[in-house]
Coordinates of all heavy atoms in Angstrom, one line a residue:
M9 N -50.6 108.7 89.8 CA -49.7 109.5 89.0 C -48.7 110.3 89.8 O -49.1 110.9 90.8 CB -50.6 110.5 88.2 CG -49.8 111.4 87.2 SD -50.9 112.4 86.3 CE -50.7 111.6 84.7
T10 N -47.5 110.3 89.5 CA -46.5 111.0 90.2 C -46.1 112.3 89.5 O -46.1 112.4 88.3 CB -45.2 110.1 90.4 OG1 -44.7 109.8 89.1 CG2 -45.5 108.8 91.1
D11 N -45.7 113.2 90.4 CA -45.3 114.5 89.9 C -43.8 114.5 89.6 O -43.0 114.3 90.5 CB -45.6 115.6 90.9 CG -45.3 117.0 90.4 OD1 -45.1 117.2 89.2 OD2 -45.3 117.9 91.2
T12 N -43.4 114.7 88.3 CA -42.0 114.6 87.9 C -41.5 116.0 87.5 O -40.6 116.0 86.6 CB -41.8 113.6 86.8 OG1 -42.7 114.0 85.7 CG2 -42.2 112.2 87.2
T13 N -42.1 117.0 88.0 CA -41.6 118.3 87.6 C -40.2 118.6 88.2 O -39.9 118.2 89.3 CB -42.5 119.5 88.0 OG1 -42.6 119.4 89.5 CG2 -43.9 119.3 87.4
E14 N -39.3 119.1 87.4 CA -38.0 119.5 87.8 C -38.0 120.8 88.6 O -38.8 121.6 88.3 CB -37.0 119.6 86.6 CG -36.8 118.3 85.9 CD -35.8 118.5 84.8 OE1 -34.9 119.4 84.9 OE2 -35.9 117.8 83.8
P15 N -37.1 120.9 89.6 CA -37.0 122.2 90.3 C -36.7 123.3 89.3 O -36.0 123.1 88.3 CB -35.9 122.0 91.3 CG -35.4 120.7 91.1 CD -36.1 120.0 90.0
K16 N -37.2 124.5 89.6 CA -36.9 125.7 88.7 C -35.4 126.0 88.7 O -34.8 126.0 89.7 CB -37.7 126.9 89.2 CG -37.6 128.0 88.3 CD -38.6 129.1 88.6 CE -38.3 130.3 87.8 NZ -39.4 130.9 87.3
Q17 N -34.9 126.3 87.5 CA -33.5 126.6 87.3 C -33.3 128.1 87.7 O -33.9 128.9 87.0 CB -33.1 126.3 85.9 CG -31.8 125.8 85.7 CD -31.5 125.5 84.2 OE1 -31.7 126.3 83.4 NE2 -31.0 124.3 84.0
L18 N -32.5 128.3 88.7 CA -32.2 129.7 89.1 C -30.6 129.8 89.0 O -29.9 129.5 89.9 CB -32.6 130.0 90.5 CG -34.1 129.9 90.7 CD1 -34.5 130.0 92.2 CD2 -34.9 130.9 89.9
L19 N -30.2 130.2 87.8 CA -28.7 130.2 87.5 C -28.0 131.2 88.4 O -28.4 132.3 88.7 CB -28.5 130.6 86.1 CG -29.1 129.7 85.0 CD1 -28.8 130.2 83.6 CD2 -28.6 128.3 85.2
H20 N -26.8 130.7 88.9 CA -25.9 131.5 89.7 C -24.5 131.3 89.1 O -24.0 130.2 88.8 CB -25.9 131.0 91.1 CG -27.2 131.3 91.8 ND1 -28.3 130.5 91.6 CD2 -27.5 132.2 92.7 CE1 -29.3 131.0 92.4 NE2 -28.8 132.1 93.0
L21 N -23.7 132.4 89.0 CA -22.4 132.5 88.6 C -21.4 132.6 89.8 O -21.7 133.5 90.6 CB -22.2 133.7 87.6 CG -20.7 134.1 87.3 CD1 -20.0 133.0 86.4 CD2 -20.7 135.4 86.6
V22 N -20.4 131.8 89.8 CA -19.4 132.0 90.8 C -18.1 132.4 90.1 O -17.6 131.8 89.2 CB -19.1 130.6 91.6 CG1 -18.0 130.8 92.6 CG2 -20.4 130.2 92.2
F23 N -17.5 133.5 90.6 CA -16.3 134.0 90.0 C -15.5 134.7 91.1 O -16.0 135.0 92.2 CB -16.5 134.9 88.9 CG -16.9 136.3 89.3 CD1 -15.9 137.3 89.2 CD2 -18.2 136.6 89.7 CE1 -16.3 138.6 89.6 CE2 -18.5 137.9 90.0 CZ -17.6 138.9 90.0
G24 N -14.2 134.9 90.9 CA -13.4 135.6 91.8 C -12.1 136.2 91.2 O -11.8 136.0 90.0
G25 N -11.4 137.0 92.0 CA -10.2 137.6 91.5 C -9.6 138.4 92.6 O -10.1 138.5 93.7
E26 N -8.4 138.9 92.3 CA -7.6 139.6 93.3 C -8.0 141.1 93.3 O -8.0 141.7 92.2 CB -6.1 139.5 93.1 CG -5.3 139.8 94.2 CD -3.9 139.3 94.1 OE1 -3.5 138.8 93.1 OE2 -3.2 139.5 95.1
L27 N -8.3 141.7 94.4 CA -8.7 143.1 94.5 C -7.5 144.0 94.6 O -6.5 143.6 95.1 CB -9.6 143.3 95.7 CG -10.9 142.5 95.8 CD1 -11.6 142.8 97.1 CD2 -11.8 142.8 94.6
K28 N -7.7 145.2 94.1 CA -6.6 146.2 94.1 C -6.3 146.6 95.6 O -5.2 146.7 96.0 CB -6.9 147.4 93.3 CG -6.9 147.2 91.8 CD -7.2 148.5 91.1 CE -7.1 148.4 89.6 NZ -7.4 149.6 88.9
T29 N -7.4 146.8 96.3 CA -7.3 147.2 97.7 C -8.5 146.5 98.5 O -9.4 146.0 97.9 CB -7.5 148.7 98.0 OG1 -8.9 149.1 97.7 CG2 -6.6 149.5 97.1
L30 N -8.3 146.4 99.8 CA -9.4 145.8 100.6 C -10.6 146.7 100.8 O -11.6 146.2 101.3 CB -8.8 145.4 102.0 CG -7.6 144.3 101.9 CD1 -7.1 144.1 103.3 CD2 -8.1 143.1 101.2
D31 N -10.5 147.9 100.4 CA -11.6 148.9 100.7 C -12.5 149.0 99.5 O -13.5 149.8 99.6 CB -11.0 150.3 101.0 CG -10.1 150.3 102.2 OD1 -10.3 149.5 103.1 OD2 -9.1 151.0 102.2
D32 N -12.3 148.4 98.4 CA -13.1 148.6 97.2 C -13.2 147.3 96.4 O -12.5 146.4 96.6 CB -12.4 149.7 96.3 CG -13.3 150.3 95.3 OD1 -14.5 150.0 95.3 OD2 -12.8 151.1 94.5
L33 N -14.1 147.3 95.5 CA -14.4 146.1 94.7 C -13.8 146.3 93.3 O -14.5 146.0 92.3 CB -15.8 145.7 94.6 CG -16.4 145.2 95.9 CD1 -17.9 144.9 95.7 CD2 -15.7 143.9 96.4
Q34 N -12.6 146.8 93.2 CA -11.9 146.9 91.9 C -10.9 145.8 91.8 O -10.0 145.6 92.7 CB -11.1 148.3 91.9 CG -12.0 149.5 91.9 CD -12.7 149.7 90.6 OE1 -12.1 149.5 89.5 NE2 -13.9 150.1 90.6
F35 N -11.0 145.1 90.7 CA -10.1 143.9 90.5 C -8.7 144.4 89.9 O -8.6 145.3 89.1 CB -10.7 142.9 89.6 CG -11.9 142.2 90.2 CD1 -13.2 142.6 89.9 CD2 -11.7 141.2 91.1 CE1 -14.3 142.0 90.4 CE2 -12.8 140.5 91.7 CZ -14.1 140.9 91.4
R36 N -7.7 143.7 90.4 CA -6.3 144.0 90.0 C -6.1 143.7 88.5 O -5.5 144.4 87.8 CB -5.3 143.2 90.8 CG -3.9 143.6 90.7 CD -3.1 142.9 91.7 NE -3.6 143.2 93.0 CZ -2.8 143.6 94.1 NH1 -1.5 143.6 93.9 NH2 -3.4 143.9 95.2
D37 N -6.7 142.6 88.0 CA -6.5 142.1 86.7 C -7.7 141.4 86.1 O -8.0 140.3 86.5 CB -5.3 141.1 86.7 CG -5.0 140.5 85.3 OD1 -5.5 141.0 84.3 OD2 -4.4 139.4 85.3
L38 N -8.5 142.2 85.3 CA -9.7 141.6 84.8 C -9.5 140.4 83.9 O -10.3 139.5 83.9 CB -10.5 142.7 84.0 CG -11.1 143.8 84.9 CD1 -11.8 144.9 83.9 CD2 -12.1 143.3 85.9
D39 N -8.4 140.4 83.2 CA -8.1 139.2 82.4 C -7.8 138.0 83.2 O -7.9 136.8 82.7 CB -6.9 139.5 81.5 CG -7.2 140.5 80.4 OD1 -8.4 140.6 80.0 OD2 -6.3 141.2 79.9
G40 N -7.4 138.2 84.5 CA -7.1 137.1 85.3 C -8.2 136.6 86.2 O -8.0 135.8 87.1
L41 N -9.5 137.1 86.0 CA -10.6 136.6 86.8 C -10.8 135.1 86.7 O -10.6 134.5 85.6 CB -11.9 137.3 86.4 CG -12.0 138.8 86.8 CD1 -13.3 139.4 86.3 CD2 -11.8 139.0 88.3
D42 N -11.1 134.5 87.8 CA -11.3 133.1 87.8 C -12.8 132.8 87.7 O -13.6 133.1 88.7 CB -10.8 132.5 89.1 CG -11.0 131.0 89.3 OD1 -11.3 130.4 88.3 OD2 -10.8 130.5 90.4
I43 N -13.3 132.4 86.5 CA -14.7 132.0 86.3 C -14.9 130.6 86.8 O -14.5 129.7 86.0 CB -15.1 132.2 84.9 CG1 -14.8 133.6 84.4 CG2 -16.6 132.0 84.7 CD1 -15.4 134.8 85.1
V44 N -15.4 130.4 87.9 CA -15.5 129.0 88.5 C -16.6 128.2 87.8 O -16.4 127.1 87.4 CB -15.8 129.1 90.0 CG1 -15.9 127.7 90.6 CG2 -14.7 129.9 90.7
G45 N -17.7 128.9 87.5 CA -18.8 128.2 86.8 C -20.1 128.8 87.0 O -20.3 129.7 87.8
I46 N -21.1 128.2 86.3 CA -22.5 128.6 86.4 C -23.3 127.4 87.0 O -23.1 126.3 86.5 CB -23.1 129.0 85.0 CG1 -22.3 130.2 84.5 CG2 -24.6 129.3 85.1 CD1 -22.7 130.7 83.1
Y47 N -24.1 127.6 88.0 CA -24.7 126.6 88.7 C -26.3 126.7 88.6 O -26.8 127.8 88.6 CB -24.2 126.6 90.2 CG -22.8 126.3 90.2 CD1 -21.9 127.4 90.1 CD2 -22.2 125.0 90.2 CE1 -20.5 127.2 90.1 CE2 -20.9 124.8 90.2 CZ -20.0 125.9 90.1 OH -18.7 125.6 90.1
P48 N -27.0 125.6 88.7 CA -28.5 125.7 88.5 C -29.2 126.2 89.8 O -30.4 126.4 89.7 CB -28.8 124.2 88.3 CG -27.8 123.4 89.0 CD -26.5 124.2 88.8
D49 N -28.6 126.3 90.9 CA -29.2 126.8 92.1 C -28.2 127.4 93.1 O -27.0 127.2 92.9 CB -30.0 125.7 92.8 CG -29.2 124.4 93.1 OD1 -28.1 124.6 93.7 OD2 -29.6 123.3 92.6
Y50 N -28.7 128.1 94.1 CA -27.8 128.8 95.0 C -27.0 127.8 95.8 O -25.9 128.0 96.1 CB -28.7 129.7 95.9 CG -27.8 130.4 96.9 CD1 -27.1 131.5 96.5 CD2 -27.7 130.0 98.2 CE1 -26.3 132.2 97.4 CE2 -26.9 130.7 99.1 CZ -26.1 131.8 98.7 OH -25.3 132.5 99.6
A51 N -27.6 126.7 96.2 CA -27.0 125.7 97.1 C -25.7 125.1 96.4 O -24.6 125.0 97.0 CB -27.9 124.5 97.4
S52 N -25.8 124.8 95.1 CA -24.7 124.3 94.3 C -23.6 125.4 94.2 O -22.4 125.1 94.3 CB -25.1 123.9 92.9 OG -26.1 122.9 93.0
A53 N -24.0 126.6 93.9 CA -23.1 127.8 93.8 C -22.4 128.0 95.1 O -21.2 128.3 95.2 CB -23.8 129.0 93.4
L54 N -23.1 127.9 96.2 CA -22.5 128.1 97.5 C -21.4 127.1 97.8 O -20.3 127.4 98.4 CB -23.5 128.0 98.6 CG -23.1 128.4 100.0 CD1 -22.5 129.8 100.1 CD2 -24.3 128.2 101.0
V55 N -21.6 125.8 97.5 CA -20.6 124.8 97.6 C -19.3 125.1 96.8 O -18.2 125.0 97.4 CB -21.1 123.4 97.2 CG1 -20.0 122.4 97.1 CG2 -22.2 122.9 98.1
A56 N -19.5 125.6 95.6 CA -18.3 125.9 94.8 C -17.6 127.2 95.3 O -16.4 127.2 95.4 CB -18.8 126.2 93.3
W57 N -18.4 128.2 95.8 CA -17.9 129.4 96.4 C -17.0 129.1 97.6 O -15.9 129.5 97.8 CB -19.0 130.3 96.7 CG -18.5 131.5 97.5 CD1 -18.0 132.7 96.9 CD2 -18.4 131.7 98.9 NE1 -17.6 133.5 97.9 CE2 -17.9 133.0 99.2 CE3 -18.8 130.9 100.0 CZ2 -17.7 133.4 100.4 CZ3 -18.6 131.4 101.2 CH2 -18.1 132.6 101.5
K58 N -17.6 128.2 98.5 CA -16.9 127.9 99.7 C -15.5 127.2 99.4 O -14.5 127.4 100.1 CB -17.7 127.0 100.6 CG -18.8 127.7 101.4 CD -19.5 126.7 102.3 CE -20.6 127.5 103.1 NZ -21.3 126.6 104.0
S59 N -15.6 126.3 98.4 CA -14.4 125.6 98.1 C -13.3 126.5 97.6 O -12.1 126.4 98.0 CB -14.7 124.5 97.0 OG -13.5 123.9 96.5
K60 N -13.6 127.4 96.7 CA -12.6 128.4 96.1 C -12.2 129.4 97.2 O -11.0 129.7 97.3 CB -13.2 129.1 94.9 CG -13.5 128.2 93.7 CD -12.2 127.5 93.3 CE -11.3 128.4 92.4 NZ -10.2 127.7 91.7
A61 N -13.1 129.8 98.0 CA -12.7 130.8 99.1 C -11.8 130.1 100.1 O -10.8 130.8 100.5 CB -14.0 131.3 99.8
Q62 N -12.0 128.9 100.4 CA -11.1 128.2 101.3 C -9.7 128.0 100.7 O -8.7 128.1 101.4 CB -11.7 126.8 101.7 CG -10.9 126.1 102.7 CD -10.9 126.8 104.1 OE1 -11.8 127.4 104.5 NE2 -9.7 126.7 104.7
Q63 N -9.6 127.7 99.4 CA -8.3 127.5 98.8 C -7.5 128.8 98.8 O -6.3 128.7 98.7 CB -8.6 127.1 97.3 CG -9.1 125.7 97.2 CD -9.5 125.4 95.7 OE1 -8.9 126.0 94.8 NE2 -10.4 124.4 95.5
T64 N -8.1 129.9 98.8 CA -7.4 131.2 98.7 C -7.5 132.0 100.0 O -7.2 133.2 100.1 CB -8.0 132.1 97.6 OG1 -9.4 132.3 97.9 CG2 -7.9 131.4 96.3
V65 N -7.7 131.3 101.2 CA -7.9 132.0 102.4 C -6.6 132.8 102.9 O -6.7 133.7 103.6 CB -8.4 131.0 103.5 CG1 -7.2 130.0 103.9 CG2 -8.9 131.7 104.7
D66 N -5.5 132.4 102.4 CA -4.2 133.0 102.8 C -4.0 134.3 102.1 O -3.1 135.1 102.4 CB -3.0 132.1 102.6 CG -3.1 130.9 103.6 OD1 -3.7 131.1 104.7 OD2 -2.5 129.8 103.3
N67 N -4.7 134.6 101.0 CA -4.5 135.8 100.2 C -5.7 136.8 100.5 O -6.8 136.6 100.0 CB -4.5 135.5 98.7 CG -4.3 136.7 97.9 OD1 -4.4 137.9 98.3 ND2 -4.0 136.5 96.6
A68 N -5.4 137.8 101.4 CA -6.5 138.7 101.8 C -7.2 139.5 100.7 O -8.3 139.9 100.8 CB -6.0 139.7 102.8
H69 N -6.4 139.6 99.6 CA -7.0 140.4 98.4 C -7.8 139.6 97.5 O -8.5 140.1 96.6 CB -5.8 141.1 97.7 CG -5.3 142.2 98.4 ND1 -4.3 142.1 99.3 CD2 -5.6 143.5 98.3 CE1 -4.0 143.3 99.7 NE2 -4.7 144.2 99.2
M70 N -7.8 138.2 97.6 CA -8.5 137.4 96.8 C -10.0 137.2 97.3 O -10.2 136.9 98.4 CB -7.9 136.0 96.7 CG -8.4 135.1 95.6 SD -8.1 135.9 94.0 CE -7.6 134.5 93.1
R71 N -10.9 137.5 96.4 CA -12.3 137.4 96.8 C -13.1 136.6 95.7 O -12.9 136.7 94.5 CB -13.0 138.8 96.9 CG -12.5 139.6 98.0 CD -13.0 139.1 99.4 NE -12.8 140.1 100.4 CZ -11.7 140.3 101.1 NH1 -10.6 139.7 100.8 NH2 -11.7 141.2 102.0
Y72 N -14.1 135.8 96.2 CA -15.0 135.1 95.3 C -16.4 135.6 95.6 O -16.8 136.0 96.7 CB -14.9 133.6 95.5 CG -13.7 133.1 94.7 CD1 -12.4 133.0 95.3 CD2 -13.8 132.6 93.4 CE1 -11.3 132.6 94.6 CE2 -12.7 132.2 92.7 CZ -11.5 132.2 93.3 OH -10.4 131.8 92.6
F73 N -17.2 135.6 94.5 CA -18.6 136.1 94.6 C -19.6 135.2 94.0 O -19.2 134.4 93.1 CB -18.7 137.5 93.9 CG -17.7 138.5 94.4 CD1 -16.5 138.6 93.9 CD2 -18.2 139.3 95.5 CE1 -15.6 139.6 94.4 CE2 -17.3 140.3 96.0 CZ -16.0 140.4 95.5
I74 N -20.8 135.2 94.4 CA -21.9 134.5 93.8 C -22.8 135.6 93.2 O -23.3 136.5 93.9 CB -22.7 133.7 94.8 CG1 -21.8 132.6 95.4 CG2 -23.9 133.1 94.1 CD1 -22.5 131.8 96.5
V75 N -23.1 135.5 91.9 CA -24.0 136.4 91.2 C -25.3 135.7 90.9 O -25.2 134.6 90.3 CB -23.3 136.9 89.9 CG1 -24.3 137.8 89.1 CG2 -22.0 137.6 90.1
H76 N -26.4 136.3 91.3 CA -27.7 135.7 91.0 C -28.1 136.0 89.6 O -28.8 137.0 89.3 CB -28.7 136.3 92.0 CG -28.4 135.9 93.4 ND1 -28.9 134.9 94.1 CD2 -27.6 136.6 94.3 CE1 -28.4 134.8 95.3 NE2 -27.6 135.9 95.5
M77 N -27.6 135.2 88.6 CA -27.9 135.5 87.2 C -29.4 135.5 86.9 O -29.8 136.3 86.0 CB -27.2 134.5 86.3 CG -25.6 134.6 86.4 SD -24.8 133.4 85.3 CE -25.4 133.8 83.7
H78 N -30.1 134.7 87.6 CA -31.6 134.6 87.3 C -32.2 136.0 87.5 O -33.2 136.3 86.9 CB -32.3 133.5 88.1 CG -32.1 133.7 89.6 ND1 -33.1 134.3 90.3 CD2 -31.1 133.4 90.4 CE1 -32.7 134.3 91.6 NE2 -31.5 133.7 91.7
R79 N -31.7 136.7 88.5 CA -32.3 138.1 88.7 C -31.9 139.1 87.6 O -32.7 140.0 87.3 CB -31.8 138.6 90.1 CG -32.3 137.8 91.2 CD -31.8 138.4 92.5 NE -32.3 137.6 93.7 CZ -31.8 137.7 94.9 NH1 -30.8 138.5 95.1 NH2 -32.2 136.9 95.8
L80 N -30.8 138.9 87.0 CA -30.4 139.7 85.9 C -31.1 139.4 84.6 O -31.5 140.2 83.8 CB -28.8 139.6 85.6 CG -27.9 140.0 86.8 CD1 -26.5 139.6 86.5 CD2 -28.1 141.5 87.1
L81 N -31.4 138.1 84.4 CA -32.1 137.6 83.2 C -33.6 138.0 83.3 O -34.2 138.2 82.2 CB -31.9 136.1 83.1 CG -30.5 135.6 82.8 CD1 -30.4 134.1 83.0 CD2 -30.0 136.1 81.5
D82 N -34.2 138.0 84.4 CA -35.6 138.3 84.6 C -35.8 139.0 85.9 O -36.2 138.5 86.9 CB -36.4 137.0 84.5 CG -37.9 137.3 84.3 OD1 -38.3 138.5 84.4 OD2 -38.7 136.4 84.2
P83 N -35.5 140.4 85.9 CA -35.6 141.1 87.1 C -37.0 141.2 87.7 O -37.2 141.4 88.9 CB -35.2 142.5 86.7 CG -35.0 142.5 85.3 CD -35.1 141.2 84.8
R84 N -38.1 140.9 87.0 CA -39.4 140.9 87.5 C -39.6 139.8 88.5 O -40.5 139.9 89.4 CB -40.4 140.8 86.4 CG -40.4 142.0 85.4 CD -41.3 141.7 84.2 NE -40.6 140.6 83.4 CZ -41.2 139.6 82.8 NH1 -42.5 139.6 82.7 NH2 -40.5 138.7 82.1
K85 N -38.9 138.8 88.4 CA -39.1 137.6 89.3 C -38.2 137.7 90.6 O -38.2 136.8 91.4 CB -38.9 136.3 88.6 CG -40.0 136.1 87.5 CD -39.8 134.8 86.8 CE -40.9 134.6 85.8 NZ -40.9 133.4 85.1
G86 N -37.3 138.7 90.6 CA -36.5 138.9 91.8 C -35.9 137.8 92.4 O -35.4 137.5 93.4

């Protein structure tokens, strides 16, 4: 008998936007945030984050983030 269990889904959100200043995490335009996507694991989210960060490397105010949604959905499981 083979074990066919799927890996646990640990959702991660990748998003970014232009910051008002380099000293703070205040976005210049909340309506203009780039919601890249929601990914089933950190590794997938990291690939998406790296791609978007590389595309915007020339804009010092543009930042992309990975949010560990699974921690927000069930904080007991950290």
Side-chain angles (χ1 to χ4, degrees):
M9 180 178 252
T10 60
D11 186 12
T12 59
T13 59
E14 292 184 30
K16 184 167 175 140
Q17 215 176 52
L18 299 173
L19 297 179
H20 291 77
L21 166 68
V22 178
F23 80 100
E26 198 165 9
L27 301 177
K28 288 182 180 180
T29 70
L30 297 177
D31 300 327
D32 200 5
L33 291 179
Q34 295 284 323
F35 291 100
R36 192 173 300 227
D37 176 19
L38 290 178
D39 291 331
L41 288 179
D42 181 11
I43 308 300
V44 179
I46 298 174
Y47 299 88
D49 54 53
Y50 182 79
S52 301
L54 185 60
V55 169
W57 173 85
K58 282 183 180 180
S59 174
K60 292 303 279 192
Q62 184 63 40
Q63 291 172 23
T64 60
V65 72
D66 292 334
N67 182 349
H69 285 88
M70 191 64 138
R71 293 285 196 281
Y72 280 87
F73 301 90
I74 298 175
V75 177
H76 299 266
M77 291 179 63
H78 61 96
R79 292 182 185 165
L80 298 172
L81 295 169
D82 192 353
R84 295 170 291 146
K85 294 186 179 178

